[in-house]
Amino acid sequence: MIARITRGGHDITLFGGIKGLVRDGDDLRNELYQERPGSIYIVLSKEQIDGLSAFIKDPFELSMSDYEISYGLHLSIYGEVMTPPPIYIEAVKYAEENGKELRPLDVPEKEYTDFYTKNVKLFDLLRNSLRKRHVTRMEFGDTSPEDFVRRWNATMNRVSGLRKVEEFRLSYIERKIDEYLDTDKEHSVFIITELEFYDPLKDFLEHNAKN
C-alpha cells in the first residue's frame, strides 16, 4: 500500500508492505528504483538493519516460532512467502547498491528488551502460550493478504502486555519520523513500514500535512 503526503517541505512516500510476501518485496524494489528518493526511513532498528546486511552477505539458517510458521503458512495462500521478509531484504539491498543510508525508525534492541521485560508479565506469556494451538488452527475469514494481516494483528494484540509493546513501538516510530524530518534537507523521503503500522502512520503523517 502506498500513500503520498506533502509535509513540512518534504514529499513523502509511505510504503506499507506485508512481511513475508515476495510480491511486496518486488513492489518495493520497483518503487524505490522508480522514485530514487533522497532519504529512506525504515521501521527497523539499527541492529536489525545490520543483521539483515550480514544475512545478505552470508545467509544462515533462521529459526522460526510456531506463531511465525502459522502466519507464513496462512499467508502463502496469497503468494510466495520468504524469510527474512522480502520488503526488508529489498530495502537493505537497494540502500547498499545505491550508497544510501537506511535511517532506522524502530526501538533499539536494549530499549525494546527493557520495555518488554517490564510490561509483558508472566500471565501474558502464559496466556500467549496456551492459546497457541487455538490460533494456529483459527479460520480468520480473510479475503486478501491485507485483511489477513490486520485480523492476525488484532488477534495477537488481545494480550494486554503485547499490545502495550506495539503501542510503545508506534509512539517511538512517530517521534523518530518527526526528529528526522525536522533536520532532513532532502526533499523526497521514502518511509518503509510493515502493514501493521501503515494506517496509524498514514494518519500521523497527514496530520498538519500541506497539500
Side-chain angles (χ1 to χ4, degrees):
M1 302 182 74
I2 295 178
R4 305 190 193 281
I5 302 149
T6 299
R7 180 178 177 181
H10 300 286
D11 284 339
I12 301 169
T13 297
L14 176 66
F15 182 97
I18 295 175
K19 291 183 296 184
L21 271 188
V22 172
R23 175 203 74 181
D24 282 27
D26 293 340
D27 289 347
L28 173 63
R29 182 181 63 247
N30 292 337
E31 286 292 330
L32 286 170
Y33 272 100
Q34 180 175 325
E35 293 199 20
R36 296 191 176 276
S39 293
I40 307 173
Y41 311 163
I42 188 166
V43 178
L44 289 173
S45 67
K46 178 64 166 61
E47 295 91 345
Q48 289 171 323
I49 294 171
D50 292 342
L52 287 169
S53 179
F55 179 87
I56 291 169
K57 294 180 176 67
D58 185 18
F60 48 87
E61 186 174 351
L62 298 171
S63 61
M64 299 175 65
S65 70
D66 291 342
Y67 278 119
E68 289 171 326
I69 292 170
S70 178
Y71 172 91
L73 286 173
H74 195 112
L75 189 61
S76 67
I77 295 170
Y78 299 105
E80 185 181 359
V81 174
M82 289 180 61
T83 188
I87 57 169
Y88 297 145
I89 289 291
E90 293 299 337
V92 173
K93 283 183 177 178
Y94 177 86
E96 293 186 348
E97 290 169 1
N98 293 274
K100 303 295 292 186
E101 177 190 7
L102 282 182
R103 305 186 77 174
L105 290 172
D106 214 343
V107 184
E109 200 169 274
K110 185 181 184 306
E111 194 171 340
Y112 176 89
T113 300
D114 289 345
F115 187 89
Y116 187 98
T117 302
K118 291 176 182 177
N119 290 274
V120 180
K121 306 303 182 184
L122 179 60
F123 177 77
D124 293 318
L125 296 174
L126 180 61
R127 182 183 176 193
N128 199 44
S129 178
L130 289 174
R131 73 189 185 127
K132 186 182 301 180
R133 180 176 297 181
H134 171 67
V135 170
T136 56
R137 293 178 179 178
M138 279 181 65
E139 292 294 334
F140 288 88
D142 45 291
T143 57
S144 70
E146 291 80 11
D147 185 29
F148 164 64
V149 170
R150 289 190 172 100
R151 290 170 186 258
W152 174 275
N153 194 50
T155 300
M156 294 298 102
N157 284 340
R158 287 175 188 166
V159 177
S160 62
L162 299 179
R163 184 170 61 251
K164 287 180 183 178
V165 171
E166 292 305 284
E167 291 169 350
F168 171 67
R169 287 181 64 205
L170 177 60
S171 177
Y172 182 94
I173 290 163
E174 290 174 345
R175 291 199 307 272
K176 290 301 290 186
I177 289 175
D178 272 345
E179 177 185 317
Y180 288 153
L181 290 177
D182 282 346
T183 59
D184 202 331
K185 296 180 180 179
E186 295 288 351
H187 180 68
S188 62
V189 174
F190 200 105
I191 301 175
I192 303 165
T193 180
E194 57 203 64
L195 184 67
E196 289 89 327
F197 289 141
Y198 175 82
D199 289 334
L201 288 181
K202 181 174 180 288
D203 291 342
F204 169 74
L205 288 166
E206 288 178 341
H207 182 64
N208 293 330
K210 296 179 180 180
N211 298 312

